[in-house]
Amino acid sequence: MVKDKKLLQDRYVTSFQFRLDVISMLPTDIFYLFVGLDYPEIRVNKLLRIGRMMEFFTRTETKTNYPNIFRIINLIMYILIIIHWNSCFYYSFSKSIGFGSDDWVYPALDNPEEPEFGEPMRKYAFSLYWSTLTLTTIGETPPPALDSEFLFHVVDFLVGVLIFATIVGNIATMISNMNAAQAQFQARIDNIKHYMQVRKVSKELENRVIKWFDYLWNNSKAQDEREVLRYLPDKLKAEIAIQVHMETLKKVRIFSDCEAGLLIELVLKLQLQVFSPGDYICKKGDIGHEMYIVKDGKLAVVADDGVTQFVVLGSGSYFGEISILNIKGSKAGNRRTANIRSIGYSDLFCLSKDDLMESLIEYPDAKGMLEDKGRQILMKDGLLDLDPANIIPEAKELEEKVSRLYSTMELMQTKLKKILEKYNDTDKALKQQISDLEHLIGEEYTLLSM
């Protein structure tokens, strides 16, 4: 982006738009001092600003947070401007024919019976009224008398038909755009309702599903963040995610000291999940594939009966971080150690084990640090088995280590092959240089002997 004022000024001065702006700013109003106020066409150069006005509207529509409201206001303004211009054309046309020459044109200005038609306010109000009736195709105006009046009237009617066809189409589009999100959301609900009816889902479960959708819509949580942000480049996605979710992720103690690059990777992988009242987020003994961070709502750690509450988790709490690390020696393995149930509607950020491990591939040091922190937490809670005999590595982990070893060996062989090739090339070049030097010395010796 060019921000140098001198370059911008030079480019603007040499552009065609600069000439239009200069002409539109000429003070033609000064001629009113010589010819009076009866010639409004003197200011016709001001119409050259239309391009600038359109540019302003386009940029404002892009930047405003309420584009549909702006479009409606913009459309109303266009209608008023067109009616205003048409009233000015009508008045000028009546002036060229002669005021009061027939019933169709503007009444005479010097009529003693109707002196108010000579007042500026009445001139504008009458012309605006005539223009509005004509462009809206309502009619109810005196019929034309001259051929030129017929032609003017026909053109006005055609313009009016086109204008209002455009207006109706634009308004329909605006209303459709304003309700697009709601219509799409309602279509989802209708599809699920139909599915539940076909599959004969119980009424109680059907009501829970409908209430869950109502909660999403009423709390503006119906949009999929990934779908909304998919058109943005990764850099902007990361910046938005950092501002929205970074503080939440830093509340998790095992991530508090991680480097910024890893946190950005994880922030982009957080997914918002909404749970209904009474839903179990996890149960004791379940295999843990993800961890959760509470954004809004309250969760209860309950007994196996689902009623007795041990503790209540609020906003900022987190759980399941140890199970996704799969730390060797953990007595609980990667299984859940408690039943956690949603008290009301709860919004939780979810980070899956696969997403975490995918991010840690590029940050091996961070992976070791996270595992160390996890072991410290398990040791503090007495859930870590320190007996090496009980720590059996997983087959998948062994396969990954062997695969990495083979990859390292292949890489070393490739590098060694390149070094040998480079050595051979250098050796050949050096031998050639020595041969050339010996030949040159031999020739010089022969010449000296002669």
Side-chain angles (χ1 to χ4, degrees):
M1 181 182 292
V2 179
K3 295 185 178 180
D4 187 279
K5 293 183 179 179
K6 185 68 169 60
L7 293 175
L8 293 173
Q9 179 180 337
D10 293 342
R11 182 177 178 83
Y12 173 61
V13 169
T14 57
S15 66
F16 178 70
Q17 185 62 49
F18 173 74
R19 297 178 177 83
L20 294 179
D21 292 341
V22 170
I23 296 173
S24 68
M25 293 177 64
L26 292 176
T28 54
D29 307 67
I30 197 172
F31 291 109
Y32 284 129
L33 298 175
F34 305 101
V35 299
L37 301 176
D38 296 330
Y39 299 92
E41 53 272 12
I42 288 175
R43 301 181 73 249
V44 72
N45 64 313
K46 306 301 179 184
L47 293 177
L48 297 176
R49 296 179 181 175
I50 291 177
R52 287 297 189 188
M53 183 182 70
M54 302 295 291
E55 181 182 355
F56 167 77
F57 288 154
T58 302
R59 293 189 177 185
T60 305
E61 182 178 346
T62 304
K63 295 180 179 180
T64 182
N65 292 328
Y66 306 97
N68 290 315
I69 295 177
F70 179 79
R71 292 185 191 113
I72 293 174
I73 295 174
N74 201 9
L75 182 61
I76 293 173
M77 192 200 69
Y78 280 140
I79 295 172
L80 295 177
I81 288 176
I82 292 172
I83 292 175
H84 166 76
W85 284 353
N86 191 59
S87 65
C88 294
F89 289 140
Y90 168 74
Y91 184 84
S92 299
F93 191 70
S94 298
K95 180 181 178 181
S96 64
I97 295 176
F99 294 126
S101 58
D102 56 51
D103 292 338
W104 186 84
V105 299
Y106 186 83
L109 304 180
D110 54 357
N111 187 351
E113 297 180 0
E114 296 177 327
E116 63 274 7
F117 283 101
E119 299 175 0
M121 191 61 197
R122 176 55 65 88
K123 293 178 183 178
Y124 182 71
F126 185 91
S127 301
L128 191 68
Y129 173 74
W130 186 94
S131 176
T132 304
L133 290 179
T134 305
L135 291 181
T136 55
T137 65
I138 294 176
E140 298 185 4
T141 57
L146 304 176
D147 293 342
S148 58
E149 294 175 357
F150 276 107
L151 181 62
F152 186 92
H153 213 129
V154 168
V155 171
D156 251 23
F157 271 130
L158 293 176
V159 171
V161 170
L162 293 174
I163 288 174
F164 276 89
T166 304
I167 290 171
V168 171
N170 284 337
I171 291 178
T173 302
M174 290 176 192
I175 294 174
S176 176
N177 290 337
M178 291 175 70
N179 298 326
Q182 184 176 1
Q184 185 180 13
F185 185 74
Q186 190 62 45
R188 291 185 207 165
I189 299 178
D190 294 341
N191 289 336
I192 292 177
K193 284 181 179 177
H194 178 70
Y195 174 82
M196 290 189 294
Q197 288 175 358
V198 170
R199 300 299 179 184
K200 295 181 172 37
V201 175
S202 66
K203 201 66 179 176
E204 186 269 335
L205 181 56
E206 184 177 342
N207 290 333
R208 284 178 57 196
V209 171
I210 294 174
K211 287 180 180 179
W212 182 81
F213 273 109
D214 287 340
Y215 172 80
L216 289 184
W217 180 255
N218 294 331
N219 291 273
S220 303
K221 297 175 182 176
Q223 287 184 323
D224 184 357
E225 288 188 7
R226 296 191 177 186
E227 180 69 20
V228 173
L229 301 177
R230 66 173 179 165
Y231 299 107
L232 294 178
D234 293 339
K235 179 66 175 175
L236 290 179
K237 282 183 186 177
E239 291 185 13
I240 291 176
I242 287 170
Q243 290 198 9
V244 175
H245 304 315
M246 183 62 83
E247 291 302 320
T248 301
L249 188 61
K250 283 184 176 180
K251 291 178 181 178
V252 183
R253 52 184 170 176
I254 62 172
F255 298 135
S256 58
D257 298 326
C258 289
E259 54 186 298
L262 175 60
L263 291 179
I264 292 173
E265 287 278 343
L266 296 179
V267 157
L268 290 171
K269 298 180 185 300
L270 288 178
Q271 296 186 36
L272 182 65
Q273 294 185 2
V274 179
F275 292 88
S276 303
D279 284 351
Y280 277 95
I281 289 81
C282 63
K283 290 186 177 182
K284 182 186 290 187
D286 290 347
I287 296 176
H289 296 291
E290 58 277 311
M291 67 164 294
Y292 296 95
I293 306 171
V294 182
K295 181 187 177 188
D296 291 313
K298 291 184 179 181
L299 309 176
V301 180
V302 298
D304 294 337
D305 59 7
V307 178
T308 307
Q309 296 185 5
F310 299 119
V311 67
V312 175
L313 305 178
S315 178
S317 301
Y318 53 89
F319 56 93
E321 71 277 14
I322 302 299
S323 62
I324 65 173
L325 290 174
N326 199 20
I327 298 173
K328 303 297 178 295
S330 174
K331 295 180 180 179
N334 60 346
R335 295 185 178 274
R336 305 296 189 187
T337 58
N339 302 309
I340 300 180
R341 194 174 190 179
S342 178
I343 296 176
Y345 283 101
S346 303
D347 302 340
L348 278 67
F349 285 120
C350 173
L351 178 63
S352 71
K353 180 179 180 179
D354 292 339
D355 288 338
L356 176 62
M357 293 306 168
E358 181 183 347
S359 301
L360 290 176
I361 292 175
E362 303 296 332
Y363 300 92
D365 295 338
K367 182 178 181 181
M369 185 190 70
L370 290 176
E371 289 178 348
D372 290 340
K373 283 190 174 183
R375 290 190 189 94
Q376 293 173 9
I377 296 171
L378 289 173
M379 287 180 64
K380 183 179 178 182
D381 297 337
L383 296 174
L384 184 64
D385 190 350
L386 300 177
D387 186 358
N390 297 328
I391 302 177
I392 303 174
E394 293 183 352
K396 185 178 180 182
E397 183 180 357
L398 291 175
E399 290 177 1
E400 290 178 353
K401 288 183 178 181
V402 172
S403 177
R404 285 198 299 269
L405 184 60
Y406 274 116
S407 299
T408 304
M409 290 178 61
E410 290 176 357
L411 181 61
M412 291 178 65
Q413 288 176 351
T414 304
K415 289 184 177 180
L416 183 59
K417 185 178 179 181
K418 289 182 178 178
I419 291 173
L420 290 174
E421 290 176 354
K422 189 175 181 181
Y423 171 77
N424 293 331
D425 293 340
T426 305
D427 185 54
K428 289 180 181 178
L430 185 58
K431 288 180 179 179
Q432 183 65 39
Q433 290 177 1
I434 292 173
S435 176
D436 294 342
L437 185 60
E438 289 176 347
H439 181 70
L440 181 61
I441 292 173
E443 288 181 352
E444 290 181 354
Y445 179 77
T446 303
L447 291 173
L448 290 174
S449 300
M450 294 175 63

